[in-house]
Amino acid sequence: MAKLDDIVKKQKDGAKFVISAAMLGIEPEEFDIVAKLWAEECSHGFVVTGVPHRKCIDGEFFIDRITVTKV
């Protein structure tokens, strides 16, 4: 996920910004999995803040966008 690192590096410390499945070029189902992992551990230079945005696909809700703060 080099693209994720590029997105985070562009931000200033303390900045709030959005990371979405579309930005990373992955499907919401896959993004949902990694977003949940990011919420548990903050090893990518950011912490998840706020309520994740979910998208309904075939009756199931998947996280497709999160707001984070750079640390």
Side-chain angles (χ1 to χ4, degrees):
M1 284 191 193
K3 197 171 188 180
L4 175 62
D5 292 335
D6 294 339
I7 294 167
V8 175
K9 285 179 186 177
K10 290 180 183 178
Q11 307 301 319
K12 294 181 181 180
D13 288 342
K16 285 189 177 184
F17 59 101
V18 172
I19 301 173
S20 69
M23 289 170 70
L24 299 176
I26 59 177
E27 295 296 319
E29 294 90 343
E30 184 180 353
F31 187 81
D32 182 83
I33 295 167
V34 294
K36 288 176 182 174
L37 292 173
W38 294 336
E40 293 174 7
E41 58 179 71
C42 55
S43 62
H44 292 284
F46 60 83
V47 292
V48 177
T49 56
V51 178
H53 181 269
R54 290 177 169 79
K55 181 177 185 176
C56 184
I57 301 172
D58 295 328
E60 290 187 55
F61 287 91
F62 297 97
I63 298 170
D64 71 334
R65 183 174 65 224
I66 57 173
T67 302
V68 299
T69 301
K70 184 172 180 179
V71 291

Short mmCIF file of all heavy atoms in Angstrom, two decimals:
data_model
loop_
_atom_site.label_atom_id
_atom_site.label_comp_id
_atom_site.label_asym_id
_atom_site.label_seq_id
_atom_site.Cartn_x
_atom_site.Cartn_y
_atom_site.Cartn_z
N MET A 1 0.82 -1.20 0.00
CA MET A 1 0.00 0.00 0.00
C MET A 1 0.86 1.26 0.00
O MET A 1 0.71 2.12 0.85
CB MET A 1 -0.94 0.01 1.19
CG MET A 1 -2.10 -0.89 1.06
SD MET A 1 -3.25 -0.51 2.37
CE MET A 1 -4.29 -1.91 2.24
N ALA A 2 1.74 1.35 -0.93
CA ALA A 2 2.59 2.55 -1.04
C ALA A 2 1.74 3.79 -1.22
O ALA A 2 2.10 4.87 -0.77
CB ALA A 2 3.57 2.39 -2.18
N LYS A 3 0.61 3.65 -1.87
CA LYS A 3 -0.26 4.80 -2.10
C LYS A 3 -0.76 5.38 -0.77
O LYS A 3 -0.88 6.59 -0.64
CB LYS A 3 -1.42 4.38 -2.99
CG LYS A 3 -2.14 5.52 -3.62
CD LYS A 3 -3.12 5.03 -4.65
CE LYS A 3 -3.69 6.19 -5.41
NZ LYS A 3 -4.64 5.79 -6.43
N LEU A 4 -1.04 4.53 0.20
CA LEU A 4 -1.48 4.99 1.51
C LEU A 4 -0.39 5.84 2.15
O LEU A 4 -0.66 6.92 2.68
CB LEU A 4 -1.82 3.81 2.42
CG LEU A 4 -2.17 4.17 3.86
CD1 LEU A 4 -3.42 5.04 3.92
CD2 LEU A 4 -2.34 2.92 4.70
N ASP A 5 0.84 5.38 2.09
CA ASP A 5 1.96 6.15 2.64
C ASP A 5 2.08 7.52 1.97
O ASP A 5 2.35 8.51 2.64
CB ASP A 5 3.26 5.37 2.49
CG ASP A 5 3.31 4.13 3.37
OD1 ASP A 5 2.61 4.10 4.40
OD2 ASP A 5 4.03 3.19 3.02
N ASP A 6 1.88 7.57 0.66
CA ASP A 6 1.94 8.85 -0.06
C ASP A 6 0.87 9.81 0.42
O ASP A 6 1.12 11.01 0.59
CB ASP A 6 1.79 8.62 -1.57
CG ASP A 6 2.96 7.85 -2.17
OD1 ASP A 6 4.04 7.83 -1.55
OD2 ASP A 6 2.76 7.26 -3.25
N ILE A 7 -0.33 9.29 0.65
CA ILE A 7 -1.44 10.12 1.12
C ILE A 7 -1.13 10.69 2.50
O ILE A 7 -1.32 11.88 2.76
CB ILE A 7 -2.76 9.31 1.15
CG1 ILE A 7 -3.18 8.93 -0.27
CG2 ILE A 7 -3.87 10.08 1.86
CD1 ILE A 7 -4.28 7.89 -0.34
N VAL A 8 -0.63 9.85 3.39
CA VAL A 8 -0.33 10.28 4.76
C VAL A 8 0.82 11.28 4.79
O VAL A 8 0.77 12.28 5.51
CB VAL A 8 -0.02 9.06 5.66
CG1 VAL A 8 0.41 9.50 7.05
CG2 VAL A 8 -1.24 8.14 5.75
N LYS A 9 1.85 11.05 3.99
CA LYS A 9 3.02 11.94 3.98
C LYS A 9 2.67 13.35 3.53
O LYS A 9 3.33 14.31 3.93
CB LYS A 9 4.10 11.38 3.06
CG LYS A 9 4.83 10.21 3.64
CD LYS A 9 5.87 9.69 2.67
CE LYS A 9 6.51 8.42 3.19
NZ LYS A 9 7.47 7.84 2.22
N LYS A 10 1.64 13.52 2.71
CA LYS A 10 1.25 14.84 2.22
C LYS A 10 0.61 15.71 3.30
O LYS A 10 0.49 16.91 3.15
CB LYS A 10 0.26 14.71 1.06
CG LYS A 10 0.88 14.16 -0.19
CD LYS A 10 -0.16 14.05 -1.29
CE LYS A 10 0.42 13.44 -2.54
NZ LYS A 10 -0.59 13.29 -3.60
N GLN A 11 0.17 15.08 4.39
CA GLN A 11 -0.56 15.79 5.44
C GLN A 11 0.38 16.33 6.51
O GLN A 11 1.42 15.75 6.79
CB GLN A 11 -1.59 14.86 6.09
CG GLN A 11 -2.51 14.17 5.11
CD GLN A 11 -3.32 15.13 4.27
OE1 GLN A 11 -3.80 16.15 4.77
NE2 GLN A 11 -3.48 14.80 3.00
N LYS A 12 -0.02 17.43 7.14
CA LYS A 12 0.73 18.00 8.26
C LYS A 12 0.33 17.27 9.53
O LYS A 12 -0.77 16.73 9.63
CB LYS A 12 0.42 19.49 8.41
CG LYS A 12 0.88 20.32 7.25
CD LYS A 12 0.56 21.78 7.48
CE LYS A 12 1.02 22.60 6.29
NZ LYS A 12 0.74 24.02 6.47
N ASP A 13 1.22 17.26 10.53
CA ASP A 13 0.91 16.66 11.82
C ASP A 13 -0.34 17.31 12.41
O ASP A 13 -0.48 18.53 12.38
CB ASP A 13 2.07 16.81 12.80
CG ASP A 13 3.24 15.91 12.43
OD1 ASP A 13 3.05 14.96 11.66
OD2 ASP A 13 4.36 16.18 12.93
N GLY A 14 -1.26 16.48 12.90
CA GLY A 14 -2.49 16.98 13.49
C GLY A 14 -3.61 17.21 12.49
O GLY A 14 -4.74 17.51 12.88
N ALA A 15 -3.33 17.08 11.20
CA ALA A 15 -4.35 17.32 10.18
C ALA A 15 -5.38 16.19 10.15
O ALA A 15 -5.03 15.03 10.29
CB ALA A 15 -3.70 17.45 8.81
N LYS A 16 -6.64 16.57 9.97
CA LYS A 16 -7.70 15.59 9.76
C LYS A 16 -7.92 15.47 8.27
O LYS A 16 -7.98 16.48 7.56
CB LYS A 16 -9.00 16.03 10.44
CG LYS A 16 -8.97 15.87 11.93
CD LYS A 16 -10.35 16.11 12.51
CE LYS A 16 -10.29 15.87 14.00
NZ LYS A 16 -11.60 15.99 14.63
N PHE A 17 -8.03 14.23 7.79
CA PHE A 17 -8.25 14.01 6.37
C PHE A 17 -8.99 12.70 6.16
O PHE A 17 -9.16 11.92 7.10
CB PHE A 17 -6.92 14.05 5.59
CG PHE A 17 -5.90 13.04 6.03
CD1 PHE A 17 -5.70 11.87 5.31
CD2 PHE A 17 -5.12 13.26 7.15
CE1 PHE A 17 -4.75 10.94 5.71
CE2 PHE A 17 -4.16 12.33 7.55
CZ PHE A 17 -3.98 11.16 6.82
N VAL A 18 -9.43 12.49 4.95
CA VAL A 18 -10.23 11.32 4.61
C VAL A 18 -9.40 10.34 3.80
O VAL A 18 -8.62 10.73 2.94
CB VAL A 18 -11.49 11.74 3.80
CG1 VAL A 18 -12.23 10.54 3.26
CG2 VAL A 18 -12.41 12.59 4.66
N ILE A 19 -9.58 9.06 4.10
CA ILE A 19 -9.03 7.98 3.29
C ILE A 19 -10.21 7.14 2.83
O ILE A 19 -11.05 6.74 3.65
CB ILE A 19 -8.04 7.11 4.08
CG1 ILE A 19 -6.89 7.94 4.62
CG2 ILE A 19 -7.52 5.97 3.21
CD1 ILE A 19 -5.96 7.19 5.56
N SER A 20 -10.30 6.89 1.54
CA SER A 20 -11.43 6.12 1.02
C SER A 20 -10.95 4.93 0.19
O SER A 20 -9.80 4.89 -0.26
CB SER A 20 -12.32 7.01 0.15
OG SER A 20 -11.65 7.36 -1.04
N ALA A 21 -11.87 4.01 -0.01
CA ALA A 21 -11.57 2.84 -0.85
C ALA A 21 -11.20 3.28 -2.26
O ALA A 21 -10.26 2.77 -2.86
CB ALA A 21 -12.78 1.90 -0.88
N ALA A 22 -11.91 4.28 -2.77
CA ALA A 22 -11.65 4.77 -4.13
C ALA A 22 -10.25 5.37 -4.25
O ALA A 22 -9.58 5.18 -5.26
CB ALA A 22 -12.71 5.80 -4.52
N MET A 23 -9.82 6.09 -3.21
CA MET A 23 -8.48 6.69 -3.24
C MET A 23 -7.39 5.63 -3.35
O MET A 23 -6.36 5.86 -3.97
CB MET A 23 -8.24 7.51 -1.96
CG MET A 23 -9.03 8.79 -1.88
SD MET A 23 -8.93 9.56 -0.25
CE MET A 23 -7.24 10.11 -0.23
N LEU A 24 -7.63 4.49 -2.73
CA LEU A 24 -6.64 3.42 -2.73
C LEU A 24 -6.84 2.43 -3.87
O LEU A 24 -6.04 1.51 -4.05
CB LEU A 24 -6.67 2.68 -1.38
CG LEU A 24 -6.34 3.53 -0.16
CD1 LEU A 24 -6.50 2.70 1.11
CD2 LEU A 24 -4.94 4.09 -0.25
N GLY A 25 -7.94 2.59 -4.60
CA GLY A 25 -8.21 1.71 -5.74
C GLY A 25 -8.61 0.31 -5.35
O GLY A 25 -8.31 -0.65 -6.06
N ILE A 26 -9.29 0.19 -4.20
CA ILE A 26 -9.75 -1.13 -3.76
C ILE A 26 -11.26 -1.11 -3.55
O ILE A 26 -11.87 -0.04 -3.45
CB ILE A 26 -9.03 -1.59 -2.48
CG1 ILE A 26 -9.24 -0.61 -1.32
CG2 ILE A 26 -7.54 -1.78 -2.75
CD1 ILE A 26 -8.62 -1.05 -0.01
N GLU A 27 -11.85 -2.27 -3.47
CA GLU A 27 -13.29 -2.39 -3.27
C GLU A 27 -13.64 -2.13 -1.80
O GLU A 27 -12.82 -2.39 -0.91
CB GLU A 27 -13.77 -3.79 -3.68
CG GLU A 27 -13.60 -4.08 -5.16
CD GLU A 27 -14.44 -3.17 -6.04
OE1 GLU A 27 -15.60 -2.90 -5.68
OE2 GLU A 27 -13.92 -2.72 -7.06
N PRO A 28 -14.86 -1.65 -1.54
CA PRO A 28 -15.28 -1.40 -0.16
C PRO A 28 -15.18 -2.63 0.75
O PRO A 28 -14.86 -2.50 1.93
CB PRO A 28 -16.73 -0.94 -0.29
CG PRO A 28 -16.79 -0.32 -1.65
CD PRO A 28 -15.87 -1.16 -2.50
N GLU A 29 -15.42 -3.81 0.21
CA GLU A 29 -15.32 -5.03 1.02
C GLU A 29 -13.91 -5.21 1.57
O GLU A 29 -13.73 -5.57 2.73
CB GLU A 29 -15.72 -6.27 0.20
CG GLU A 29 -17.17 -6.30 -0.22
CD GLU A 29 -17.44 -5.64 -1.58
OE1 GLU A 29 -16.59 -4.87 -2.07
OE2 GLU A 29 -18.51 -5.89 -2.14
N GLU A 30 -12.91 -4.96 0.74
CA GLU A 30 -11.51 -5.08 1.17
C GLU A 30 -11.14 -3.92 2.09
O GLU A 30 -10.46 -4.10 3.11
CB GLU A 30 -10.59 -5.10 -0.04
CG GLU A 30 -9.13 -5.32 0.30
CD GLU A 30 -8.23 -5.36 -0.92
OE1 GLU A 30 -8.72 -5.34 -2.06
OE2 GLU A 30 -7.01 -5.38 -0.71
N PHE A 31 -11.59 -2.71 1.75
CA PHE A 31 -11.31 -1.53 2.56
C PHE A 31 -11.88 -1.69 3.96
O PHE A 31 -11.25 -1.29 4.94
CB PHE A 31 -11.86 -0.27 1.89
CG PHE A 31 -11.48 1.00 2.57
CD1 PHE A 31 -10.23 1.57 2.35
CD2 PHE A 31 -12.33 1.63 3.46
CE1 PHE A 31 -9.85 2.75 2.98
CE2 PHE A 31 -11.97 2.80 4.10
CZ PHE A 31 -10.73 3.36 3.87
N ASP A 32 -13.05 -2.28 4.08
CA ASP A 32 -13.70 -2.52 5.36
C ASP A 32 -12.78 -3.30 6.29
O ASP A 32 -12.63 -2.96 7.47
CB ASP A 32 -15.02 -3.28 5.15
CG ASP A 32 -15.77 -3.52 6.43
OD1 ASP A 32 -16.49 -2.59 6.87
OD2 ASP A 32 -15.64 -4.61 7.01
N ILE A 33 -12.12 -4.31 5.75
CA ILE A 33 -11.23 -5.15 6.55
C ILE A 33 -10.04 -4.34 7.07
O ILE A 33 -9.73 -4.37 8.26
CB ILE A 33 -10.74 -6.36 5.74
CG1 ILE A 33 -11.93 -7.28 5.41
CG2 ILE A 33 -9.65 -7.13 6.48
CD1 ILE A 33 -11.63 -8.34 4.36
N VAL A 34 -9.37 -3.61 6.17
CA VAL A 34 -8.19 -2.86 6.59
C VAL A 34 -8.56 -1.67 7.48
O VAL A 34 -7.82 -1.34 8.41
CB VAL A 34 -7.31 -2.42 5.40
CG1 VAL A 34 -6.70 -3.60 4.71
CG2 VAL A 34 -8.04 -1.54 4.44
N ALA A 35 -9.70 -1.05 7.24
CA ALA A 35 -10.14 0.08 8.07
C ALA A 35 -10.36 -0.38 9.52
O ALA A 35 -10.03 0.35 10.46
CB ALA A 35 -11.40 0.71 7.51
N LYS A 36 -10.92 -1.56 9.69
CA LYS A 36 -11.12 -2.09 11.04
C LYS A 36 -9.78 -2.35 11.72
O LYS A 36 -9.62 -2.11 12.92
CB LYS A 36 -11.97 -3.35 10.99
CG LYS A 36 -13.42 -3.06 10.66
CD LYS A 36 -14.23 -4.32 10.51
CE LYS A 36 -15.67 -4.00 10.12
NZ LYS A 36 -16.45 -5.20 9.81
N LEU A 37 -8.80 -2.83 10.97
CA LEU A 37 -7.46 -3.05 11.53
C LEU A 37 -6.82 -1.72 11.91
O LEU A 37 -6.18 -1.61 12.96
CB LEU A 37 -6.58 -3.81 10.54
CG LEU A 37 -6.96 -5.25 10.25
CD1 LEU A 37 -6.10 -5.83 9.13
CD2 LEU A 37 -6.84 -6.09 11.51
N TRP A 38 -6.96 -0.71 11.05
CA TRP A 38 -6.40 0.61 11.34
C TRP A 38 -7.01 1.21 12.60
O TRP A 38 -6.34 1.91 13.36
CB TRP A 38 -6.61 1.56 10.18
CG TRP A 38 -5.85 1.20 8.94
CD1 TRP A 38 -4.71 0.44 8.86
CD2 TRP A 38 -6.18 1.56 7.61
NE1 TRP A 38 -4.31 0.32 7.56
CE2 TRP A 38 -5.20 1.00 6.75
CE3 TRP A 38 -7.20 2.30 7.03
CZ2 TRP A 38 -5.21 1.17 5.38
CZ3 TRP A 38 -7.22 2.46 5.67
CH2 TRP A 38 -6.24 1.90 4.85
N ALA A 39 -8.30 0.95 12.84
CA ALA A 39 -8.97 1.48 14.03
C ALA A 39 -8.39 0.85 15.30
O ALA A 39 -8.35 1.50 16.36
CB ALA A 39 -10.47 1.24 13.95
N GLU A 40 -7.92 -0.39 15.21
CA GLU A 40 -7.37 -1.10 16.36
C GLU A 40 -5.92 -0.71 16.64
O GLU A 40 -5.50 -0.67 17.78
CB GLU A 40 -7.46 -2.61 16.15
CG GLU A 40 -8.88 -3.13 16.13
CD GLU A 40 -8.95 -4.60 15.78
OE1 GLU A 40 -7.89 -5.26 15.69
OE2 GLU A 40 -10.07 -5.09 15.60
N GLU A 41 -5.14 -0.45 15.59
CA GLU A 41 -3.73 -0.12 15.75
C GLU A 41 -3.39 1.10 14.90
O GLU A 41 -3.86 1.24 13.79
CB GLU A 41 -2.84 -1.29 15.33
CG GLU A 41 -3.07 -1.74 13.89
CD GLU A 41 -2.16 -2.88 13.48
OE1 GLU A 41 -2.39 -3.99 13.98
OE2 GLU A 41 -1.25 -2.63 12.68
N CYS A 42 -2.59 1.98 15.45
CA CYS A 42 -2.27 3.21 14.71
C CYS A 42 -0.80 3.19 14.29
O CYS A 42 -0.03 4.05 14.68
CB CYS A 42 -2.62 4.44 15.52
SG CYS A 42 -1.84 4.48 17.13
N SER A 43 -0.42 2.23 13.49
CA SER A 43 0.98 2.08 13.09
C SER A 43 1.28 2.70 11.72
O SER A 43 2.37 2.53 11.21
CB SER A 43 1.34 0.60 13.09
OG SER A 43 0.55 -0.10 12.14
N HIS A 44 0.31 3.40 11.13
CA HIS A 44 0.52 3.97 9.80
C HIS A 44 0.69 5.49 9.83
O HIS A 44 0.62 6.15 8.81
CB HIS A 44 -0.64 3.61 8.86
CG HIS A 44 -0.69 2.16 8.52
ND1 HIS A 44 0.17 1.58 7.63
CD2 HIS A 44 -1.47 1.16 8.99
CE1 HIS A 44 -0.09 0.28 7.53
NE2 HIS A 44 -1.08 0.01 8.36
N GLY A 45 0.85 6.04 11.04
CA GLY A 45 1.05 7.48 11.17
C GLY A 45 -0.23 8.27 11.32
O GLY A 45 -0.23 9.49 11.23
N PHE A 46 -1.34 7.57 11.56
CA PHE A 46 -2.62 8.25 11.78
C PHE A 46 -3.49 7.43 12.71
O PHE A 46 -3.25 6.25 12.92
CB PHE A 46 -3.36 8.48 10.45
CG PHE A 46 -3.68 7.21 9.69
CD1 PHE A 46 -4.80 6.46 9.99
CD2 PHE A 46 -2.85 6.78 8.67
CE1 PHE A 46 -5.10 5.30 9.29
CE2 PHE A 46 -3.13 5.63 7.96
CZ PHE A 46 -4.27 4.88 8.27
N VAL A 47 -4.51 8.09 13.30
CA VAL A 47 -5.51 7.41 14.11
C VAL A 47 -6.87 7.69 13.50
O VAL A 47 -7.12 8.78 12.98
CB VAL A 47 -5.47 7.85 15.59
CG1 VAL A 47 -4.20 7.39 16.27
CG2 VAL A 47 -5.63 9.34 15.74
N VAL A 48 -7.73 6.71 13.56
CA VAL A 48 -9.09 6.85 13.03
C VAL A 48 -9.90 7.70 14.00
O VAL A 48 -9.88 7.47 15.21
CB VAL A 48 -9.74 5.47 12.83
CG1 VAL A 48 -11.17 5.61 12.34
CG2 VAL A 48 -8.93 4.63 11.85
N THR A 49 -10.58 8.72 13.47
CA THR A 49 -11.42 9.60 14.28
C THR A 49 -12.81 9.63 13.67
O THR A 49 -12.98 9.41 12.48
CB THR A 49 -10.85 11.03 14.34
OG1 THR A 49 -10.71 11.53 13.02
CG2 THR A 49 -9.51 11.06 15.04
N GLY A 50 -13.79 9.93 14.47
CA GLY A 50 -15.15 10.03 13.95
C GLY A 50 -15.76 8.67 13.63
O GLY A 50 -15.21 7.62 13.93
N VAL A 51 -16.90 8.73 12.99
CA VAL A 51 -17.65 7.53 12.62
C VAL A 51 -17.36 7.20 11.16
O VAL A 51 -17.53 8.05 10.29
CB VAL A 51 -19.17 7.76 12.81
CG1 VAL A 51 -19.96 6.54 12.40
CG2 VAL A 51 -19.46 8.13 14.26
N PRO A 52 -16.92 5.96 10.88
CA PRO A 52 -16.65 5.58 9.49
C PRO A 52 -17.91 5.64 8.63
O PRO A 52 -19.01 5.36 9.11
CB PRO A 52 -16.15 4.15 9.60
CG PRO A 52 -15.72 3.98 11.01
CD PRO A 52 -16.60 4.89 11.81
N HIS A 53 -17.75 6.01 7.36
CA HIS A 53 -18.86 6.02 6.42
C HIS A 53 -19.01 4.62 5.86
O HIS A 53 -18.03 3.97 5.51
CB HIS A 53 -18.59 7.01 5.29
CG HIS A 53 -19.69 7.08 4.30
ND1 HIS A 53 -19.75 6.29 3.18
CD2 HIS A 53 -20.81 7.85 4.28
CE1 HIS A 53 -20.84 6.58 2.51
NE2 HIS A 53 -21.50 7.53 3.16
N ARG A 54 -20.25 4.16 5.78
CA ARG A 54 -20.50 2.82 5.27
C ARG A 54 -21.34 2.87 4.01
O ARG A 54 -22.15 3.75 3.83
CB ARG A 54 -21.19 1.97 6.33
CG ARG A 54 -20.25 1.63 7.48
CD ARG A 54 -20.97 0.85 8.57
NE ARG A 54 -20.04 0.30 9.54
CZ ARG A 54 -19.48 0.98 10.52
NH1 ARG A 54 -19.74 2.26 10.66
NH2 ARG A 54 -18.66 0.41 11.38
N LYS A 55 -21.12 1.87 3.15
CA LYS A 55 -21.85 1.74 1.90
C LYS A 55 -22.56 0.40 1.91
O LYS A 55 -21.97 -0.62 2.29
CB LYS A 55 -20.86 1.81 0.72
CG LYS A 55 -21.50 1.71 -0.63
CD LYS A 55 -20.45 1.86 -1.71
CE LYS A 55 -21.10 1.89 -3.09
NZ LYS A 55 -20.12 2.13 -4.15
N CYS A 56 -23.82 0.39 1.48
CA CYS A 56 -24.59 -0.85 1.44
C CYS A 56 -24.39 -1.53 0.08
O CYS A 56 -24.63 -0.94 -0.96
CB CYS A 56 -26.07 -0.56 1.66
SG CYS A 56 -27.08 -2.05 1.75
N ILE A 57 -23.91 -2.76 0.13
CA ILE A 57 -23.71 -3.56 -1.08
C ILE A 57 -24.41 -4.90 -0.86
O ILE A 57 -24.05 -5.65 0.05
CB ILE A 57 -22.21 -3.78 -1.37
CG1 ILE A 57 -21.50 -2.44 -1.55
CG2 ILE A 57 -22.02 -4.67 -2.59
CD1 ILE A 57 -20.00 -2.54 -1.64
N ASP A 58 -25.41 -5.17 -1.67
CA ASP A 58 -26.19 -6.42 -1.57
C ASP A 58 -26.70 -6.66 -0.16
O ASP A 58 -26.65 -7.78 0.36
CB ASP A 58 -25.36 -7.62 -2.04
CG ASP A 58 -25.01 -7.55 -3.52
OD1 ASP A 58 -25.82 -6.99 -4.29
OD2 ASP A 58 -23.93 -8.04 -3.90
N GLY A 59 -27.19 -5.62 0.50
CA GLY A 59 -27.78 -5.74 1.82
C GLY A 59 -26.79 -5.76 2.97
O GLY A 59 -27.19 -5.88 4.12
N GLU A 60 -25.49 -5.67 2.68
CA GLU A 60 -24.48 -5.64 3.73
C GLU A 60 -23.79 -4.27 3.73
O GLU A 60 -23.59 -3.68 2.68
CB GLU A 60 -23.42 -6.72 3.52
CG GLU A 60 -23.94 -8.12 3.75
CD GLU A 60 -22.80 -9.14 3.69
OE1 GLU A 60 -21.82 -8.97 4.45
OE2 GLU A 60 -22.90 -10.07 2.89
N PHE A 61 -23.43 -3.81 4.91
CA PHE A 61 -22.76 -2.51 5.04
C PHE A 61 -21.26 -2.71 5.20
O PHE A 61 -20.82 -3.49 6.02
CB PHE A 61 -23.33 -1.73 6.23
CG PHE A 61 -24.70 -1.20 5.98
CD1 PHE A 61 -25.81 -1.94 6.31
CD2 PHE A 61 -24.89 0.03 5.38
CE1 PHE A 61 -27.08 -1.46 6.07
CE2 PHE A 61 -26.15 0.53 5.13
CZ PHE A 61 -27.26 -0.23 5.48
N PHE A 62 -20.50 -1.97 4.39
CA PHE A 62 -19.05 -2.01 4.42
C PHE A 62 -18.50 -0.59 4.56
O PHE A 62 -19.02 0.34 3.97
CB PHE A 62 -18.49 -2.62 3.11
CG PHE A 62 -18.91 -4.04 2.88
CD1 PHE A 62 -19.99 -4.34 2.06
CD2 PHE A 62 -18.21 -5.08 3.48
CE1 PHE A 62 -20.38 -5.65 1.84
CE2 PHE A 62 -18.59 -6.39 3.26
CZ PHE A 62 -19.67 -6.68 2.44
N ILE A 63 -17.44 -0.46 5.35
CA ILE A 63 -16.78 0.83 5.50
C ILE A 63 -16.11 1.16 4.16
O ILE A 63 -15.35 0.36 3.65
CB ILE A 63 -15.72 0.81 6.63
CG1 ILE A 63 -16.38 0.52 7.97
CG2 ILE A 63 -14.94 2.12 6.67
CD1 ILE A 63 -15.40 0.24 9.09
N ASP A 64 -16.43 2.34 3.62
CA ASP A 64 -15.80 2.74 2.36
C ASP A 64 -15.04 4.06 2.48
O ASP A 64 -14.36 4.48 1.54
CB ASP A 64 -16.82 2.82 1.22
CG ASP A 64 -17.77 3.99 1.35
OD1 ASP A 64 -18.00 4.46 2.47
OD2 ASP A 64 -18.27 4.45 0.31
N ARG A 65 -15.12 4.69 3.68
CA ARG A 65 -14.42 5.97 3.87
C ARG A 65 -14.25 6.21 5.37
O ARG A 65 -15.18 5.96 6.14
CB ARG A 65 -15.25 7.08 3.25
CG ARG A 65 -14.62 8.43 3.29
CD ARG A 65 -15.43 9.47 2.53
NE ARG A 65 -16.73 9.69 3.16
CZ ARG A 65 -17.87 9.78 2.48
NH1 ARG A 65 -17.90 9.65 1.17
NH2 ARG A 65 -19.01 10.01 3.10
N ILE A 66 -13.05 6.65 5.76
CA ILE A 66 -12.79 6.96 7.16
C ILE A 66 -12.14 8.33 7.27
O ILE A 66 -11.46 8.79 6.36
CB ILE A 66 -11.90 5.91 7.85
CG1 ILE A 66 -10.57 5.75 7.11
CG2 ILE A 66 -12.61 4.58 8.00
CD1 ILE A 66 -9.55 4.85 7.81
N THR A 67 -12.38 8.98 8.40
CA THR A 67 -11.69 10.23 8.71
C THR A 67 -10.61 9.89 9.72
O THR A 67 -10.85 9.17 10.69
CB THR A 67 -12.66 11.26 9.30
OG1 THR A 67 -13.71 11.48 8.36
CG2 THR A 67 -11.96 12.58 9.61
N VAL A 68 -9.40 10.41 9.47
CA VAL A 68 -8.26 10.11 10.32
C VAL A 68 -7.54 11.41 10.69
O VAL A 68 -7.73 12.44 10.06
CB VAL A 68 -7.28 9.15 9.63
CG1 VAL A 68 -7.95 7.82 9.31
CG2 VAL A 68 -6.69 9.74 8.36
N THR A 69 -6.71 11.33 11.72
CA THR A 69 -5.87 12.44 12.13
C THR A 69 -4.43 11.97 12.10
O THR A 69 -4.11 10.91 12.67
CB THR A 69 -6.22 12.91 13.56
OG1 THR A 69 -7.60 13.30 13.58
CG2 THR A 69 -5.37 14.08 13.99
N LYS A 70 -3.57 12.74 11.46
CA LYS A 70 -2.15 12.37 11.39
C LYS A 70 -1.49 12.62 12.73
O LYS A 70 -1.70 13.65 13.35
CB LYS A 70 -1.43 13.17 10.30
CG LYS A 70 0.01 12.73 10.14
CD LYS A 70 0.67 13.38 8.96
CE LYS A 70 2.12 12.90 8.87
NZ LYS A 70 2.80 13.48 7.73
N VAL A 71 -0.70 11.65 13.17
CA VAL A 71 0.02 11.78 14.45
C VAL A 71 1.53 11.81 14.19
O VAL A 71 1.99 11.41 13.16
CB VAL A 71 -0.31 10.61 15.41
CG1 VAL A 71 -1.74 10.74 15.86
CG2 VAL A 71 -0.08 9.27 14.79
#
